Structure formats: structure tokens, C-alpha cells
């Protein structure tokens, strides 16, 4: 070993001769190695583009409708109770359809399912404005939300399999894209509606973004093994030292074999894991806070005397806070052995924001919007912990489906209950008290979910 390193150091590269035993295989495969390396690098770039574009499409179907809800109600003759039901349809669909994602991923591969999800979003968004009646509008919305649900669940899976050593940064990237899509749809839907001449094209135009998101996944459908994560663990041949091709070929075969064994592994008894339950409840409570914020915060400011335009801008500020922090928080979380301190910090920001809304909603409106925006970054933290609390791709898929489906079920009553309390009490004291009360258990279960455990360990006990 020492003599080999000495020879490699002292002999000029042009005079170095490969060992006879390895010369023939290298010569025979020389024309394939650069092509393989280029193919892997090209596929990895496609996955990154696909993740970003897909994340941009995970919320516009919801926030664009919220911006035009009054116009949609008038156009379809929708009753107030049905319009109120619309606010609970997204988490319901996420819970129901998200359960299907792991099984679909095992059958077709995660990339194929996300590709189909983007196509479903595009189809649902282009159909629903022109559906003609409330039932068809809800059905088309459910189609789009089904695509969002399966993609929600599989984003952590794709990140874990393609970028196992960069879970934090890649989760931050798509969380940032998700926050950007959310805030952009909320901010520009009304101006686009005015420019396009009606609420129908104003809603349908978001189908174009979903259609574009289909494209990066199409070339990846031809190589399901690479989609399952084999390529991400192998260095490109161009960066390898001479004489290591055989080693890396066997390494790639080993990784592929491991991926195949993972797919054949029995499903975990996920409900036996305390970490899985803690993460599911944490996900549900942070989703409850987020949907309450998106649905009611602007109204709280307006009732306090803030102008309607300013109230909308304050909501946009809250949403925009997730863009930079959604990239920073996951990277920080992966460097800590316990994510509980981040959970507590975000919870304290939420408690301070709710206190401000109660004591001086108009006087410190901008500060409260910023604090609640920081608190809402519990969402990218939850996604990051999904990738960290399981060791394998199938484990991440099961945990993601369980945590998100259960969590979204938990979040369904929250926005409706806030509305009931607001109407019955005639003010925001009781609703804000409810929001504050829910933040305490969110911090507690988030601390438990942040422990350095895996669901495979707990489910095997």
C-alpha cells in the first residue's frame, strides 16, 4: 500500500501504466464510464429541478382559491356552509390520499407517482373553474388535491433516496420552493384575475405551472432503479481515480441490491413507534396553526381596524417568512442530535405572536406577522424530521404517509372551530386563546419527535 502511494506520487501521470490484470476491463469499459457519469449527473440535476418545480405546485391550488373565494361563491351560487367546507377539504384530501402514496411508490417508483401527481394537479386546476356546478368544482378540486397529497408524502422519500447525505439542504430547498409557491399564489392571483378578465382563467392559469412540473420527471421514468436511490450513493466516474472502476461498479451493484432488498422488506408496524405518533401529532398541530393563520389572520387584522389591502400584505409577509427560513432551519436541524430546541424556539415565537394579536393587533401588526411567519416554519422542520427518524427509503415512505395523513386528520377541525368561536363570541379573544392552548402540546410532542431515534428501532421492539 505504501509503495503504491509512493509510485503514484513520484511517477508522472503520462508514464503510469495500469496493472495488466485491470487494463483490459478498463479499456473495454472506457467508452462507457464517461457516459455513465454524465448520465448520473444529468439525472441528478433533473431530480433537483423536479423537486423544486413540484414543491412550487403544492399550495397554489389552495391559496389561489382562498384569494378568489368570494368570486367563486357568487359564480357557482355556493352557500356559505359549502364555502366553509372548502377550507377543510385540503387537509381531508391530504389525509385520505396520502395513505396511498407508499403503496403506489413501491409499485411504480416515487418519481412516476410524483409525475402523475403533477399531471393530476394540472388536470384538476384546469377543469374546476369550468366545471359548471358546485359538485363538479369539488370533484376537480379533489383531483388536484390528490396529486398534492401523494407528492407531499413522497418528497421526503425522494430526498432521502437521491440525497441521503444532504437531507437538510435538499429539504430546505423544496420547503423554500413550497413557501415561495404559497406566497406567490396568494399575492398575484387577484392581479392576474383582473388582467385575464375573470376568476375562471385566474384559477385555471395555475395549471400551466403544474404542467411544466411534469416534464423533469418524464426522463426518469425509464430508469426505476436509479429512481429508487441507487445512483445517489455512487460517485461519478469522472471524479474517480484510475484503477477504481471495478470497485465502484461492484459498489453500485451492491447499492442496487440493497435498494431491491429494501423494497422487499416487510412493512413496519409504524403505529408501535412513539416517535411516529409524536411526529404525527406535531405535524397535525403545526398544520392546524398554519391553516388558521392562512384562513383567519387577515380577518383578525381587519377587525382591528387595519385596511384590507394592508391586512392582505401582512398575511403575505407571514407566508414569505417561510422562504429563507425554510432553507436555513432544515440545514440546522440535521446538524443537531436533538431538534427539540428548534421546536421550542419556534413555539415561543408563536406564543409571542398570539399574545400580540390579543393585546395590540393593530399597533404591532408587522411584528406579529413576522413572529407568526417564523412559527409557521415548524412545517419544514417536521418534513426534515420525517427524513431523519427513519433509516431506509421504505421507512421514510411509511413514516411520511403516517405522519402526514394522521396529522392532516388532526388539523381538520381547527379552522372550523376558530370560526365557530368567533361567531359565537363576537370577538377574537376565545379563538386566540385556542391557538395559544394548541401551541403548548405542539411544543411538547415536537420535543419528543426531535429525539435521536428511528422508527425501525421502536417498531421492532
Amino acid at each position: 500500500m505504501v509503495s503504491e502511494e509512493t509510485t503514484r506520487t513520484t511517477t508522472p501521470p503520462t508514464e503510469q501504466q495500469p496493472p495488466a490484470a485491470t487494463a483490459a476491463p478498463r479499456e473495454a469499459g472506457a467508452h462507457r464510464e464517461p457516459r455513465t457519469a454524465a448520465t448520473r449527473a444529468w439525472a441528478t440535476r433533473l431530480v433537483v429541478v423536479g423537486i423544486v418545480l413540484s414543491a412550487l405546485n403544492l399550495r397554489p391550488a389552495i391559496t389561489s382559491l382562498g384569494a378568489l373565494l368570494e368570486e367563486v361563491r357568487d359564480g357557482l351560487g355556493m352557500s356559505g356552509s359549502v364555502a366553509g367546507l372548502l377550507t377543510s377539504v385540503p387537509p381531508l384530501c391530504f389525509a385520505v390520499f396520502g395513505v396511498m402514496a407508499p403503496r403506489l411508490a413501491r409499485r411504480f417508483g416515487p418519481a412516476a407517482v410524483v409525475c402523475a401527481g403533477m399531471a393530476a394537479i394540472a388536470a384538476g386546476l384546469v377543469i374546476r373553474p369550468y366545471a359548471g356546478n358546485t359538485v363538479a368544482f369539488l370533484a376537480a378540486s379533489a383531483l388536484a388535491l390528490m396529486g398534492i397529497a401523494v407528492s407531499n408524502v413522497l418528497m421526503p422519500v425522494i430526498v432521502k433516496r437521491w440525497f441521503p447525505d444532504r437531507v437538510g439542504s435538499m429539504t430546505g430547498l423544496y420547503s423554500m420552493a413550497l413557501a415561495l409557491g404559497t406566497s406567490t399564489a396568494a399575492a398575484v392571483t387577484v392581479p392576474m384575475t383582473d388582467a385575464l378578465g375573470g376568476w375562471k382563467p385566474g384559477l385555471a392559469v395555475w395549471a400551466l405551472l403544474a404542467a411544466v412540473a411534469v416534464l423533469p420527471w418524464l426522463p426518469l421514468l425509464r430508469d426505476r432503479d436509479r429512481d429508487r436511490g441507487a445512483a445517489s450513493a455512487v460517485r461519478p466516474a469522472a471524479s474517480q481515480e484510475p484503477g477504481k472502476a471495478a470497485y465502484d461498479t461492484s459498489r453500485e451493484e451492491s447499492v442496487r441490491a440493497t435498494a431491491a432488498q429494501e423494497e422487499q422488506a416487510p412493512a413496519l408496524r409504524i403505529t408501535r413507534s412513539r416517535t411516529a405518533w409524536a411526529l404525527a401529532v406535531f405535524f397535525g398541530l403545526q398544520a392546524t396553526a398554519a391553516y388558521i393563520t392562512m384562513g383567519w389572520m387577515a380577518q383578525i387584522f381587519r377587525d382591528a381596524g387595519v385596511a384590507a389591502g394592508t391586512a392582505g400584505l401582512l398575511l403575505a409577509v407571514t407566508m414569505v417568512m417561510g422562504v429563507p427560513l425554510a432553507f436555513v432551519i432544515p440545514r440546522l436541524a440535521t446538524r443537531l442530535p436533538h431538534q427539540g430546541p428548534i421546536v421550542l424556539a419556534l413555539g415561543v415565537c408563536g406564543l409571542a405572536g398570539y399574545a400580540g394579536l390579543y393585546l395590540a393587533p393593530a399597533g404591532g401588526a408587522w411584528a406579529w406577522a413576522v413572529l407568526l411567519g417564523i412559527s409557521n416554519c415548524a412545517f419544514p422542520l417536521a418534513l426534515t424530521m420525517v427524513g431523519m427518524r427513519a433509516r431506509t427509503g421504505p421507512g421514510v415512505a411509511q413514516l411520511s404517509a403516517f405522519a402526514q395523513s394522521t396529522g392532516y386528520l388532526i388539523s381538520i377541525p381547527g379552522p372550523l372551530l376558530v370560526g365557530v368561536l368567533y361567531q359565537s363570541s363576537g370577538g377574537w379573544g376565545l379563538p386566540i386563546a385556542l391557538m395559544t392552548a394548541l401551541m403548548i402540546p405542539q411544543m411538547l410532542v415536537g420535543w419528543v419527535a426531535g429525539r435521536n431515534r428511528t422508527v425501525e428501532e421502536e417498531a421492532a421492539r
Side-chain angles (χ1 to χ4, degrees), residues 25 28-38 237:
H31 68 284
R32 291 195 298 267
E33 287 181 17
R35 186 183 307 171
T36 303

Side-chain angles (χ1 to χ4, degrees), residues 34 38 68 76 89 174 205 215 220 224 274 279 318 381 399 417 423 439:
L68 298 175
L76 296 178
V89 167
Y174 84 76
V205 71
L215 302 179
L220 298 170
R224 290 182 56 195
R274 293 182 180 179
L279 191 52
T318 301
L381 176 61
L399 178 58
L417 186 56
Q423 290 183 357
M439 185 59 67

Side-chain angles (χ1 to χ4, degrees), residues 382-436:
L383 293 179
T384 306
M385 289 195 291
V386 167
M388 297 177 68
R389 297 287 89 88
R391 288 196 302 261
T392 65
V396 173
Q398 278 191 263
L399 178 58
S400 182
F402 176 75
Q404 294 199 44
S405 297
T406 305
Y408 282 124
L409 280 175
I410 293 171
S411 72
I412 291 173
L416 295 176
L417 186 56
V418 166
V420 170
L421 291 175
Y422 173 58
Q423 290 183 357
S424 62
S425 66
W428 288 105
L430 285 178
I432 292 175
L434 173 65
M435 300 177 210
T436 304

Side-chain angles (χ1 to χ4, degrees), residues 18 20 132 146 160 210 213 254 271 276 284 316 339 346 408 451 461:
M146 177 178 65
K160 180 77 170 183
S254 176
T271 56
Q339 290 73 47
L346 297 179
Y408 282 124
R451 295 177 303 171
R461 293 174 184 173

Side-chain angles (χ1 to χ4, degrees), residues 96-150:
V96 172
F97 296 124
V99 178
M100 303 163 49
R103 182 175 299 178
L104 292 173
R106 286 194 297 269
R107 176 67 177 85
F108 301 104
V113 178
V114 173
C115 182
M118 294 300 110
I121 295 171
L125 292 183
V126 78
I127 291 171
R128 73 174 181 178
Y130 304 99
N133 58 72
T134 300
V135 174
F137 185 92
L138 287 171
S141 295
L143 175 62
L145 292 169
M146 177 178 65
I148 295 173
V150 295

Side-chain angles (χ1 to χ4, degrees), residues 106-388:
R106 286 194 297 269
R107 176 67 177 85
F108 301 104
V113 178
V114 173
C115 182
M118 294 300 110
I121 295 171
L125 292 183
V126 78
I127 291 171
R128 73 174 181 178
Y130 304 99
N133 58 72
T134 300
V135 174
F137 185 92
L138 287 171
S141 295
L143 175 62
L145 292 169
M146 177 178 65
I148 295 173
V150 295
S151 301
N152 269 337
V153 171
L154 294 180
M155 283 290 103
V157 178
I158 290 174
V159 167
K160 180 77 170 183
R161 292 183 174 184
W162 278 86
F163 308 98
D165 55 342
R166 287 183 284 166
V167 170
S169 58
M170 291 305 300
T171 301
L173 180 64
Y174 84 76
S175 298
M176 185 172 62
L178 190 152
L180 182 61
T182 303
S183 56
T184 300
V188 307
T189 296
V190 173
M192 281 199 308
T193 298
D194 295 337
L196 295 172
W199 65 269
K200 291 183 178 181
L203 286 181
V205 71
W206 292 103
L208 296 176
L209 182 62
V212 172
V214 173
L215 302 179
W217 300 107
L218 293 176
L220 298 170
L221 304 183
R222 292 176 296 180
D223 191 346
R224 290 182 56 195
D225 287 335
R226 186 175 288 113
D227 171 42
R228 288 165 183 161
S232 64
V234 184
R235 291 188 301 167
S239 65
Q240 296 169 2
E241 296 179 9
K244 291 189 176 182
Y247 164 78
D248 286 315
T249 299
S250 63
R251 183 185 177 196
E252 180 169 356
E253 291 174 354
S254 176
V255 173
R256 291 180 185 272
T258 301
Q261 291 173 1
E262 286 185 353
E263 291 189 350
Q264 297 173 359
L268 295 171
R269 296 180 180 179
I270 200 75
T271 56
R272 298 178 60 181
S273 169
R274 293 182 180 179
T275 297
W277 278 109
L279 191 52
V281 176
F282 176 71
F283 196 97
L285 292 175
Q286 67 80 28
T288 300
Y291 280 107
I292 290 173
T293 299
M294 285 188 288
W296 295 107
M297 195 180 78
Q299 190 64 48
I300 295 175
F301 286 130
R302 293 183 67 176
D303 288 351
V306 177
T310 304
L313 185 58
L314 287 165
L315 178 59
V317 168
T318 301
M319 298 295 102
V320 167
M321 288 301 299
V323 176
L325 291 179
F327 187 73
V328 173
I329 289 176
R331 290 171 63 88
L332 176 62
T334 56
R335 295 174 183 176
L336 296 177
H338 194 310
Q339 290 73 47
I342 304 178
V343 172
L344 296 183
L346 297 179
V348 168
C349 289
L351 292 175
Y354 293 144
L357 287 180
Y358 180 79
L359 297 173
W366 295 100
W368 318 143
V370 170
L371 286 170
L372 290 174
I374 296 173
S375 179
N376 281 344
C377 288
F379 174 71
L381 176 61
L383 293 179
T384 306
M385 289 195 291
V386 167
M388 297 177 68

Side-chain angles (χ1 to χ4, degrees), residues 278 281-282 285 338 340 343-344 438-450:
V281 176
F282 176 71
L285 292 175
H338 194 310
V343 172
L344 296 183
L438 291 176
M439 185 59 67
I440 303 302
Q442 177 179 322
M443 296 165 69
L444 293 176
V445 295
W447 181 272
V448 175

